[in-house]
Amino acid sequence: MSCGFHGRARITRSGAYQILRSRPDAANPAVSLAMIERERRADHEVLPTRVLDGMADAVIVVDEHMTIRYANRAAAQLLGVAADLAGLRLSDFIPERYREAHAAGFARYVQTRSGVLVGGHPVRVPALRADGTETDVQLTLAATTSTEGQLLLVGSLRDLTSVRELEQKAAIARYLQASMDVAEQLANAGTVDDALPLLLPTLCDHLDWDVAGLWEVRGDELVNVDLWQVSGPARDDFTELTKTLRLRRGVGLPGQVWSIGRPLHIELLKEDIAFPRRSAALASGLKSSLVFPLLGSGEVLGVIELYSTEARAPDAAQIEVVAAIGKQLGQFIERMRAEDELRHAEQRYRSLAEAFALDVFRTSAAGELLTDMPRWRAFTGQHADALLDLGWVDAVLPAAREGVLTLWREAIATTTPFTAEFRIQTVDGGERDVLMRSLPIIEKHQVREWIGSSTDVTEQRYAERAAVALADTLQRSLLPPHLPQVPGVELAARYRAGGEGLQVGGDFYDVFAVDPQTWVIVIGDVCGKGAEAASITALARYTVRAAAMHQQTAAGIASVLNNALRRGERQAPFLTAVVVILRLSDSPVLEVVCAGHPSPLLRHIDGTVHEVGDDGDLLGVFDTVDFKPKTVPLGCGDIVVFYTDGVTEARNESGEQYGDVRLSEEIAGCDARTAEAMSMAIMNSVVEHRGARGGGDDVALLSLRRL
């Protein structure tokens, strides 16, 4: 409440008639002075109070000392006070952040009798209830004097709770759209530089902020890399200062968020003393700020700051959304960096693979070296004469020397090509990886000589190992680093890549909390492998997490994911998934939706096993999808096994699949008393079935056991 100040109002019951009689236009428009005058004649001063108390809108009257003189019943109900409000201070019902400004405005009005709100149009202001919560009200103010000549302010307050609830629902819808748009932009972006410039306008548009800045962590400093603002008055001072600043950890709003690793909301910038750009921001008309980190694997990679030209109270839903978006962006940046390193490693590998051989040599039919190998000698320090016959073998590391000789002699005896990779000792005490190949030259059915080459593959092998490590890092970035602790439930997971080397698979799983009593579990499989499958996997994980904040059912989450996949500009690979909502209580239950994915298997404590999901549509294929949610109660000791088809489709050397029946039998017969033991037993069984063949599809397993 405010009258050229931020404030509110009340009066005594006996003074109500005097106020209205002295200034009829000061009361609420619904109150008729003539009516009150007639009532007064009939029943003295009782009925005016009765009339005001019967009004639906709150009425409060205060004197020039900000003491409440009168408040009707609606006012007491609105502010959550059981007793009479008369005699209390008006400031008790003003949010603390506005009290200083309110007091100054009130004092100014008392002195000048000139106020912005008195006698003006209704305004929307926050009111502080007795229980510490806030509620929005529509305030209309009027001024009058008592019969003793004392200044009195009359306020009419209308509760806007229902309006605010509708606004909050609309805001949540916008926030969800922002999350989905960010996820889509990241999925369609080829590089970090492609994606990030698009994000600031998207955030300002959907979250209703006026200025956005992006900061990147570079060493021990934060550097501004992008600044965007909606059309409007130029903010040159703030813009120029932002572009030139270098912030240390803990300094300024971005530096504070870098330090604490979570979002920070500043409702009034003038109250934030640790803000180096405060003067420039206030001169530019900026009043509120929301700053959040871009979180990678345990570290802050950057910070995004948002500013508004209006004072904005904290919005828990919006703060939760930007925190999730910050994690999306951080994981995206890490993934893009890993993919970039992977591409460089692949290019390096190809270049090295196409390089010339270290040496080309000739041997006799019996295998004795006949020619010099100068590059070999440059590495080993051997003399040319020492290489002749089998002298070159002396440079092979002792542990591998006998094995290389055996392979060489077998090739000579069978006249088959010789190939061996081994390490040699270098002259400086180091080691090099060497690949040696040799082919027999046959004339008239006899071996005349051998022609061979030796290639230094040290850098090539190093690049291969680095590329595989990067591919593994990228794959693991698509999976949660660890499973959360869920009350009353035990979780365990296993993942095994089916491809080799640089291939990144599309199997994934995730477990996260919506609130302490509600958890979401998802396991899925993207069709295909490689970078495209990885990008769809990332999109799926981020979208499910964003959708779960606003969708109350597993089917709703799956539908949002389907829409996100269908909205892409290019045709995305299809996706199968199981989406589950675990609701904790004395009797926990699972709400299960299968979207073209193998149904989870539930093993009761008595050893019986059965499926707990019904088939639903694939994701990313149809604009409209149909699911068949199933509610599954969990008994003590029950174990639910979620898996991808890499389990049942694993083949042995004869081509025989592992199969559904074998999996059910393994779960039923497993003497597993924990989720960890169950996951380990199934994975070991699948690996044993594959045998030496290896390869195949990715395998993802997640076991859940009720304690």
Side-chain angles (χ1 to χ4, degrees):
M1 293 171 288
S2 178
C3 50
F5 55 89
H6 296 83
R8 307 187 188 165
R10 304 190 202 170
I11 70 179
T12 63
R13 294 177 183 272
S14 61
Y17 169 74
Q18 293 177 344
I19 294 168
L20 296 175
R21 185 165 183 249
S22 63
R23 179 85 179 269
D25 62 340
N28 186 284
V31 181
S32 168
L33 177 62
M35 178 185 70
I36 295 178
E37 181 69 20
R38 288 194 299 271
E39 296 289 345
R40 185 190 71 82
R41 294 191 185 101
D43 200 11
H44 302 290
E45 296 181 352
V46 176
L47 288 181
T49 300
R50 183 182 304 165
V51 172
L52 293 177
D53 281 345
M55 293 178 57
D57 288 350
V59 176
I60 297 178
V61 180
V62 298
D63 61 20
E64 60 187 18
H65 303 295
M66 288 198 300
T67 300
I68 298 175
R69 298 285 299 278
Y70 169 80
N72 66 355
R73 294 174 184 171
Q77 292 174 354
L78 175 64
L79 299 176
V81 178
D84 190 356
L85 298 179
L88 299 179
R89 296 284 294 172
L90 177 62
S91 57
D92 293 340
F93 303 101
I94 297 172
E96 186 173 356
R97 61 188 180 279
Y98 294 127
R99 288 176 184 172
E100 182 179 348
H102 159 76
F106 197 106
R108 183 168 58 253
Y109 181 77
V110 170
Q111 293 176 357
T112 66
R113 293 298 193 273
S114 175
V116 177
L117 301 182
V118 177
H121 296 291
V123 295
R124 181 171 176 171
V125 295
L128 181 65
R129 292 171 53 84
D131 61 4
T133 62
E134 293 185 16
T135 183
D136 285 353
V137 299
Q138 179 179 290
L139 172 67
T140 304
L141 278 178
T144 186
T145 56
S146 67
T147 54
E148 295 83 10
Q150 184 181 30
L151 172 67
L152 297 172
L153 290 174
V154 182
S156 173
L157 297 81
R158 177 163 295 173
D159 189 0
L160 298 180
T161 299
S162 59
V163 175
R164 180 171 178 79
E165 289 176 352
L166 291 175
E167 292 174 345
Q168 287 178 335
K169 290 180 180 179
I172 288 174
R174 293 200 313 272
Y175 302 161
L176 176 58
Q177 188 63 49
S179 296
M180 295 176 61
D181 286 353
V182 167
E184 182 177 353
Q185 288 175 352
L186 298 184
N188 293 330
T191 66
V192 174
D193 293 337
D194 292 339
L196 295 185
L198 303 175
L199 296 175
L200 299 187
T202 297
L203 294 175
C204 285
D205 181 37
H206 289 300
L207 304 182
D208 195 25
W209 292 86
D210 300 305
V211 178
L214 173 64
W215 298 76
E216 181 182 348
V217 174
R218 295 181 182 174
D220 57 357
E221 289 184 329
L222 273 175
V223 179
N224 180 263
V225 295
D226 194 17
L227 189 68
W228 187 89
Q229 63 187 41
V230 298
S231 58
R235 302 181 177 90
D236 293 338
D237 291 344
F238 182 77
T239 300
E240 293 304 316
L241 184 56
T242 299
K243 290 180 178 179
T244 58
L245 271 182
R246 298 291 186 270
L247 298 176
R248 296 276 183 171
R249 188 187 297 269
V251 177
L253 299 184
Q256 291 180 50
V257 169
W258 182 16
S259 178
I260 64 179
R262 63 177 184 273
L264 178 65
H265 183 277
I266 304 297
E267 186 168 355
L268 293 174
L269 291 175
K270 63 180 181 180
E271 295 180 0
D272 179 29
I273 60 175
F275 183 35
R277 294 169 292 160
R278 179 179 57 189
S279 298
L282 294 177
S284 298
L286 303 179
K287 296 180 180 178
S288 291
S289 180
L290 176 58
V291 190
F292 61 95
L294 311 184
L295 291 175
S297 299
E299 63 176 341
V300 175
L301 304 178
V303 173
I304 286 180
E305 56 181 354
L306 304 171
Y307 293 92
S308 174
T309 56
E310 297 180 356
R312 298 180 59 166
D315 184 335
Q318 187 174 105
I319 292 174
E320 185 177 357
V321 165
V322 298
I325 290 175
K327 291 180 181 178
Q328 287 179 267
L329 295 175
Q331 292 174 3
F332 170 77
I333 292 172
E334 281 191 328
R335 180 164 58 86
M336 287 293 102
R337 288 177 178 175
E339 287 182 354
D340 190 50
E341 289 295 327
L342 186 59
R343 282 190 291 269
H344 285 306
E346 289 175 335
Q347 293 170 0
R348 187 179 186 186
Y349 166 73
R350 293 190 185 99
S351 298
L352 290 169
E354 295 169 0
F356 290 110
L358 179 64
D359 285 294
V360 176
F361 59 85
R362 294 170 49 242
T363 76
S364 67
E368 297 93 359
L369 185 67
L370 301 175
T371 58
D372 188 15
M373 292 196 298
R375 294 186 179 88
W376 177 286
R377 289 192 294 104
F379 279 125
T380 65
Q382 290 178 289
H383 190 272
D385 291 341
L387 295 180
L388 300 178
D389 197 358
L390 295 176
W392 59 272
V393 181
D394 293 339
V396 179
L397 292 184
R401 192 173 299 163
E402 189 60 36
V404 171
L405 274 174
T406 298
L407 289 174
W408 180 229
R409 288 165 178 161
E410 287 178 354
I412 293 172
T414 58
T415 65
T416 55
F418 166 78
T419 300
E421 183 171 328
F422 46 85
R423 286 194 170 187
I424 60 174
Q425 188 78 42
T426 61
V427 66
D428 59 0
E431 297 176 0
R432 305 294 292 183
D433 292 312
V434 173
L435 175 63
M436 182 175 283
R437 296 188 179 96
S438 189
L439 296 173
I441 305 301
I442 300 176
E443 292 182 359
K444 297 180 181 181
H445 307 291
Q446 290 186 347
V447 176
R448 182 173 64 84
E449 63 180 5
W450 293 75
I451 300 294
S453 67
S454 62
T455 306
D456 177 18
V457 294
T458 304
E459 299 300 329
Q460 178 181 336
R461 296 297 177 257
Y462 175 83
E464 289 174 351
R465 289 190 293 270
V468 170
L470 284 168
D472 181 64
T473 298
L474 177 59
Q475 182 73 68
R476 285 187 284 108
S477 74
L478 302 176
L479 301 172
H482 56 80
L483 292 173
Q485 297 292 322
V486 182
V489 170
E490 179 190 12
L491 295 170
R494 288 289 186 277
Y495 180 87
R496 187 180 182 90
E500 296 181 358
L502 308 180
Q503 284 284 38
V504 179
D507 285 18
F508 70 98
Y509 59 85
D510 202 2
V511 181
F512 59 93
V514 177
D515 58 56
Q517 294 298 310
T518 308
W519 294 74
V520 174
I521 302 167
V522 61
I523 187 167
D525 185 359
V526 177
C527 176
K529 291 182 178 292
E532 186 175 20
S535 68
I536 298 301
T537 300
L539 170 65
R541 284 193 65 204
Y542 302 156
T543 301
V544 167
R545 282 182 171 258
M549 292 186 295
H550 314 289
Q551 297 292 325
Q552 304 300 315
T553 65
I557 296 173
S559 296
V560 171
L561 175 55
N562 184 72
N563 292 339
L565 294 171
R566 295 292 293 165
R567 289 178 61 203
E569 294 182 358
R570 63 179 186 272
Q571 183 62 42
F574 67 81
L575 167 68
T576 71
V578 172
V579 180
V580 177
I581 295 182
L582 168 61
R583 305 187 194 282
L584 300 177
S585 64
D586 293 337
S587 301
V589 295
L590 299 175
E591 179 187 344
V592 181
V593 162
C594 294
H597 196 87
S599 172
L601 296 176
L602 170 61
R603 192 190 82 163
H604 294 293
I605 197 168
D606 62 2
T608 58
V609 177
H610 62 88
E611 295 183 350
V612 293
D614 292 328
D615 291 339
D617 292 334
L618 293 168
L619 299 174
V621 177
F622 310 106
D623 289 334
T624 302
V625 286
D626 182 41
F627 304 114
K628 300 175 179 127
K630 194 168 184 179
T631 300
V632 181
L634 285 181
C636 291
D638 284 355
I639 297 179
V640 183
V641 177
F642 305 86
Y643 62 99
T644 59
D645 60 11
V647 173
T648 53
E649 294 179 3
R651 296 180 182 272
N652 59 17
E653 294 180 353
S654 301
E656 178 188 5
Q657 287 190 347
Y658 187 83
D660 297 329
V661 174
R662 195 190 307 264
L663 176 59
S664 295
E665 291 175 348
E666 178 63 29
I667 294 174
C670 176
D671 187 25
R673 300 181 183 275
T674 65
E676 176 68 19
M678 177 63 76
S679 292
M680 182 183 301
I682 296 172
M683 182 62 79
N684 290 343
S685 178
V686 172
V687 171
E688 181 179 0
H689 178 76
R690 279 182 172 178
R693 181 176 182 273
D697 200 0
D698 303 333
V699 174
L701 281 168
L702 178 65
S703 297
L704 178 153
R705 176 177 176 268
R706 181 187 170 188
L707 300 176

